[in-house]
Amino acid sequence: MARFSSEQLHTFAAVLTEGTLDAAARSLNITPSAVSQRLKALEQASGRVLLQRSNPVQATESGHVVLRLARQLAQLEADAELELGLPGESPMVSVPIVVNADSLSVWFLKALTRVPAELNAVFDLHRDDEQYSTSMLRAGTVMAAVTATPEPVQGCRVEPLGSMRYRAVTTPEFRARWLPDGVDVASLRAAPAVDFDRKDEYQHRFLELLGGAGRGMEPAGPRHYVPSSQEFAEAIRLGLGWGLLPEPQCGRDIADGYLVELAPERPLDVPLYWQRWRTSSRILDAVTEAVRSTAAEVLRRPDSAAPA
C-alpha cells in the first residue's frame, strides 16, 4: 500500500522481532526517537493502533495485518535482489518459521543446512506445539510452519510431509516396578508419566489407542513436565516415567535394551504438514524443497504429496 513506506514497515517488523524500541533502534542503527517517529507515522497512516506498548511489545489485531505486509515486502525485496544478482550488496534475509520441538530436534535443522548459501538466508525459528503453530502464520509472525493442521491458513498453501511415528517407552527397571503385571490402561494411568508441557496430549492419545476413546483414558498418576525435546527423552531414559518418543530418537535404545516398548503393536503416528505463504519466492521455494526432501528421509510417507 502506497500509504506505508518501506522504511516504516521495516522498522515495524524490527520492533516486533527485537521486542523493544531500543533494541530495534540498535539493529537498524538509528536512534530510538527515529523508531518512535516511524511507528507514529505508520499508525497515523493506518488509522489504527498497531502496537501494544508492553515489554516485549506485541502487535494488535491490526498490527498483525501490517506485520504480514512488512514480512512479505522484505521477502519480495530479497527475491528481487537475488534476481538482479545483488546478494553480496544485501544483508542476510531473515526467514521466520515455527516448528514443533520434536521436528526441530530430530530432522528440521538438517533441512535448513540444505538451503543454498547463496540465498543469504538466516532462520528465525519459533517453537510451538504442532497443534497450535498455525496461529503464528495467521498473525504474520512467521512465513512458514511445520504443523499438524492440514487445512491451509488464508494466504498459505499446505502439503503433507509424512508422519512422525512415536513409541511408548520406559526403562526395564521402571516397567518392573510400576507395571509388573503387564501393560494396560489402568496401570499406565497410575504410573508416573513424562509430559513435554501442559499442551502435550500424546500420552493421553496413546491411552486412547490402548483402551479406546472415552472418559477414564487421561493419565491420572504423577506427571513430570520437561519442556525440552532432548531432556524429555533423557528423563525417560533415566527412569523418571513413561512417555512417547519419536521413533528416530528411541529406536537404538530399544534395540540395545536400554528402553522397552510398552505396546510395540500400538505406535502413535502424527501426520505433519508444511504450510507457507502462497507468494512466489525463490527463498521460500528453496526452504520448501529442503524441508520436503529431508522429511522424506525421516518421516513415514504421506498419503498424498500434492500441495494444496
Side-chain angles (χ1 to χ4, degrees):
M1 298 173 63
R3 71 179 65 188
F4 301 148
S5 73
S6 173
E7 187 178 70
Q8 292 168 354
L9 291 170
H10 286 324
T11 302
F12 183 70
V15 169
L16 286 168
T17 298
E18 301 296 333
T20 67
L21 273 63
D22 287 345
R26 288 192 295 271
S27 72
L28 296 170
N29 199 27
I30 60 177
T31 66
S33 176
V35 171
S36 182
Q37 289 172 10
R38 293 177 187 179
L39 293 177
K40 182 178 179 181
L42 190 64
E43 290 188 322
Q44 288 176 339
S46 67
R48 308 283 183 89
V49 175
L50 302 177
L51 282 179
Q52 298 176 10
R53 266 64 174 184
S54 53
N55 190 11
V57 296
Q58 296 183 20
T60 63
E61 185 175 351
S62 297
H64 286 309
V65 177
V66 175
L67 177 61
R68 189 161 56 245
L69 173 63
R71 299 280 196 203
Q72 291 173 343
L73 176 63
Q75 172 198 318
L76 291 171
E77 289 178 344
D79 285 333
E81 289 167 351
L82 286 168
E83 292 294 326
L84 293 170
L86 303 173
E89 300 176 15
S90 307
M92 303 293 281
V93 180
S94 178
V95 182
I97 304 170
V98 60
V99 189
N100 63 304
D102 287 334
S103 292
L104 189 59
S105 176
V106 171
W107 64 272
F108 195 78
L109 291 179
K110 180 181 178 182
L112 299 185
T113 67
R114 296 180 172 180
V115 178
E118 61 267 21
L119 294 182
N120 275 10
V122 293
F123 302 101
D124 180 8
L125 299 182
H126 301 255
R127 191 192 72 190
D128 200 0
D129 184 273
E130 60 271 19
Q131 304 291 336
Y132 301 89
S133 53
T134 52
S135 62
M136 290 191 178
L137 275 173
R138 293 189 183 90
T141 305
V142 298
M143 298 178 180
V146 175
T147 175
T149 304
E151 297 80 19
V153 171
Q154 184 177 6
C156 294
R157 66 186 188 188
V158 60
E159 64 180 271
L161 293 174
S163 295
M164 181 81 83
R165 172 159 287 186
Y166 288 80
R167 298 283 182 179
V169 294
T170 190
T171 63
E173 295 80 9
F174 181 94
R175 178 167 179 167
R177 177 184 176 187
W178 290 95
L179 309 166
D181 299 321
V183 176
D184 56 31
V185 171
S187 59
L188 281 177
R189 288 187 72 231
V194 183
D195 283 347
F196 187 85
D197 56 23
R198 284 160 179 81
K199 294 179 181 178
D200 184 0
E201 297 181 349
Y202 286 177
Q203 283 63 237
H204 181 189
R205 290 171 63 181
F206 174 72
L207 290 178
E208 290 183 340
L209 276 177
L210 200 62
R215 296 187 64 182
M217 292 300 108
E218 66 278 359
R223 322 297 299 162
H224 301 287
Y225 294 98
V226 186
S228 168
S229 186
Q230 295 294 341
E231 283 72 21
F232 176 91
E234 187 65 11
I236 294 174
R237 292 189 187 101
L238 292 173
L240 287 180
W242 69 273
L244 277 287
L245 288 179
E247 192 173 61
Q249 204 173 35
C250 65
R252 179 169 294 181
D253 284 336
I254 293 171
D256 291 342
Y258 294 118
L259 293 176
V260 292
E261 285 195 72
L262 300 179
E265 74 287 355
R266 297 291 180 89
L268 175 67
D269 288 341
V270 178
L272 296 175
Y273 301 85
W274 176 245
Q275 293 217 33
R276 52 156 287 187
W277 290 350
R278 279 190 175 274
T279 52
S280 177
S281 165
R282 184 177 172 187
I283 292 175
L284 271 182
D285 288 347
V287 174
T288 297
E289 178 54 37
V291 168
R292 183 186 297 130
S293 63
T294 308
E297 298 171 1
V298 178
L299 303 181
R300 293 186 168 261
R301 185 176 179 84
D303 293 333
S304 171

